[in-house]
Amino acid sequence: MSVLSSDVVSGSAVGLRGRLWRLSSAELREAAVSSSAEILRLEAVRVAVVDELSMRPDDQVIASRGVGSWLAANTMLQVRDGKKIAALGAALRPFPAVAARFDCGDCSFDHAVLIVAFCESPPKGMPDEALPRCIDLLLAAASGVEATTTKVRHVIATLERVFESDEIPPAEDVDRNELRIASTLNGRVVVRGEFDALTGEMLLSALSNLTMPTPAPDGTPDARSAAKRTADGFTELIRRYLDCAKTGTDGGQRPHVNVHINARDLAEHRDCAAAPSNGEESPSDLDVGHMPWLGPLSVSQTRLLGCDCFLSTVLLDAHGAPLDAQPGKRLVTAEQRTALIARDRGCAFPGCTCVPAWTDAHHIRHWANGGPTVMNNLVLLCRSHHRLMHRKSEFVGKWAIRIGVDNKPWFIPPLSIDPGQHPRPANTTFKT
């Protein structure tokens, strides 16, 4: 590697674009390859460090609901990516051959994930003694610059075919069913899944009538692509299910789409909705709805939903905190939970992303100690942080919760995390 290209790889990217003209094309290619190798090396280092930290967690990791969430909270990673890093570190422990190849930079992160997934759930007909040879085949496909995900998946598919047993055909194995739903950075949702043939038949049968091309009234052919028609049909299928099905309960309520928005912003006239009434509102508080799962929703879409929905009113004080609703009982009422969701928008613990449906209503001063069931003594917490507030056994310090002058919860960390014990606001800013 030339001196110039080595400086590029080892140095900062600040101002780099203005210096790259000095490199030849060959040196640029060399720097690109070297920096990619460095990324692989650092990825392996990060996985190893995070895995060791997961086995020796301190107070900060415990308070973050695991090392993956802690990593995301202290870097620019998303929570799902932090958890993937932690999961790979743990999965590599029983398979030293895969770990060694990953650590030396000869196997990418994604390929290591595929290989350990196969090792953890091998074909039912594969004998244990065949696993080392299978790992060798998979590592051969995953190693070197010619390695591709297609090659790795091809080897996996071949091994599954070779060791197919007479028990359950892969097409009928419901244990292999999986569905992943994740939000993207721009607020959309990615759905990936794999199902057995029977489930696939039911899904395709349910979508069949909803995804057929529909000509316009004048006979113009349907211009939508097959993928767009399937997406539209899937949306309609979900809407009909939520409208008609016996869906059970979710966080104390039947599952449905919840959107929170100020009444003034829901107003039909934009000049009324967008103009601050007293000059004190933040622009981020105007012209936007909020969904518990996916966050912001444009005011136009919120108003469209508001044309055909059930409206529930929550009275707020000057700070935007809900007023009490039917206090006096140990268990929170439906009205109080609605008010808590409007205030906390999920788990209120700093840095937590848990949605309202997965939270408990926690008494800041315990009911057994005389704590009333009123808004100023309640806070929404996920099950992990709820246990933390009741003094998790392996956690050294103790978090405290106080209701501030804004009538919203504030969290005081223990000395082991913050010697100054500076109060931290409830985790609602990222959800607005």
Side-chain angles (χ1 to χ4, degrees), residues 76-112:
M76 298 180 70
L77 291 171
Q78 298 297 302
V79 173
R80 61 179 177 272
D81 296 325
K83 290 184 176 181
K84 283 176 62 177
I85 292 169
L88 178 59
L92 285 172
R93 293 177 208 160
F95 309 108
V98 182
R101 193 69 64 88
F102 176 69
D103 291 344
C104 72
D106 200 27
C107 179
S108 70
F109 185 99
D110 291 336
H111 292 168

Side-chain angles (χ1 to χ4, degrees), residues 5-34:
S5 59
S6 64
D7 289 342
V8 167
V9 174
S10 61
S12 169
V14 177
L16 176 62
R17 295 176 184 273
R19 305 194 308 270
L20 289 177
W21 64 269
R22 293 161 35 181
L23 296 180
S24 66
S25 296
E27 289 173 324
L28 287 172
R29 286 188 279 105
E30 186 180 26
V33 171
S34 298

Side-chain angles (χ1 to χ4, degrees), residues 5 72 81 84 92 155 166 221 225 298 301 314 357-358 363 395 400 406:
S5 59
D81 296 325
K84 283 176 62 177
L92 285 172
V155 174
D166 295 332
S225 65
S298 69
Q301 183 67 22
V314 178
W358 296 349
H363 285 76
F395 191 75
D406 56 357

Side-chain angles (χ1 to χ4, degrees), residues 379-390:
V379 61
L380 288 183
L381 296 174
C382 66
R383 187 57 53 85
S384 178
H385 284 127
H386 198 176
R387 287 195 297 264
L388 183 66
M389 291 304 156
H390 286 275

Side-chain angles (χ1 to χ4, degrees), residues 23-357:
L23 296 180
S24 66
S25 296
E27 289 173 324
L28 287 172
R29 286 188 279 105
E30 186 180 26
V33 171
S34 298
S35 58
S36 297
E38 185 68 3
I39 290 172
L40 288 176
R41 184 187 71 82
L42 290 174
E43 273 192 331
V45 169
R46 182 170 59 182
V47 169
V49 171
V50 169
D51 186 44
E52 184 66 20
L53 185 58
S54 71
M55 293 186 288
R56 294 190 286 126
D58 58 8
D59 285 356
Q60 295 205 32
V61 172
I62 295 173
S64 298
R65 299 176 65 207
V67 68
S69 297
W70 170 85
L71 182 63
N74 290 274
T75 63
M76 298 180 70
L77 291 171
Q78 298 297 302
V79 173
R80 61 179 177 272
D81 296 325
K83 290 184 176 181
K84 283 176 62 177
I85 292 169
L88 178 59
L92 285 172
R93 293 177 208 160
F95 309 108
V98 182
R101 193 69 64 88
F102 176 69
D103 291 344
C104 72
D106 200 27
C107 179
S108 70
F109 185 99
D110 291 336
H111 292 168
V113 170
L114 284 174
I115 294 173
V116 294
F118 174 87
C119 295
E120 290 177 335
S121 301
K124 286 181 167 48
M126 190 182 82
D128 294 341
E129 58 268 22
L131 182 59
R133 176 56 179 159
C134 292
I135 291 178
D136 291 340
L137 292 172
L138 290 167
L139 288 175
S143 300
V145 295
E146 295 182 356
T148 64
T149 302
T150 301
K151 288 184 178 180
V152 178
R153 291 189 181 279
H154 177 76
V155 174
I156 291 175
T158 302
L159 292 174
E160 289 177 338
R161 178 68 178 269
V162 168
F163 294 109
E164 208 171 65
S165 68
D166 295 332
E167 297 177 2
I168 302 177
E172 300 174 15
D173 190 354
V174 296
D175 290 339
R176 300 188 183 197
N177 289 4
E178 56 182 21
L179 180 66
R180 294 184 176 91
I181 303 175
S183 58
T184 64
L185 291 177
N186 63 2
R188 294 183 65 79
V189 173
V190 175
V191 181
R192 293 187 177 93
E194 179 181 350
F195 298 96
D196 63 281
L198 179 58
T199 302
E201 181 73 14
M202 290 189 293
L203 178 60
L204 293 174
S205 297
L207 288 172
S208 177
N209 187 53
L210 302 175
T211 57
M212 294 175 61
T214 306
D218 62 354
T220 304
D222 194 334
R224 297 175 299 168
S225 65
K228 182 62 170 65
R229 295 199 311 272
T230 301
D232 292 345
F234 191 68
T235 301
E236 179 62 22
L237 188 67
I238 296 172
R239 181 180 294 113
R240 293 185 183 185
Y241 170 77
L242 293 178
D243 284 347
C244 307
K246 296 181 179 179
T247 56
T249 60
D250 191 0
Q253 299 176 329
R254 291 186 63 185
H256 52 275
V257 176
N258 290 280
V259 180
H260 299 146
I261 191 169
N262 294 331
R264 181 166 57 86
D265 291 338
L266 190 60
E268 195 60 40
H269 302 291
R270 187 174 179 83
D271 57 349
C272 167
S277 59
N278 55 15
E280 296 179 356
E281 292 91 336
S282 167
S284 63
D285 292 331
L286 299 175
D287 287 343
V288 66
H290 173 81
M291 298 179 293
W293 285 89
L294 295 175
L297 186 69
S298 69
V299 71
S300 59
Q301 183 67 22
T302 304
R303 289 173 181 160
L304 178 62
L305 293 174
C307 291
D308 183 19
C309 70
F310 292 103
L311 291 177
S312 178
T313 302
V314 178
L315 298 179
L316 309 176
D317 62 16
H319 300 286
L323 301 176
D324 282 316
Q326 300 183 6
K329 298 181 179 180
R330 182 177 70 85
L331 301 178
V332 299
T333 64
E335 292 80 6
Q336 284 178 314
R337 185 171 180 86
T338 299
L340 285 169
I341 292 173
R343 185 193 71 186
D344 298 341
R345 300 187 179 184
C347 179
F349 193 90
C352 187
T353 58
C354 194
V355 295

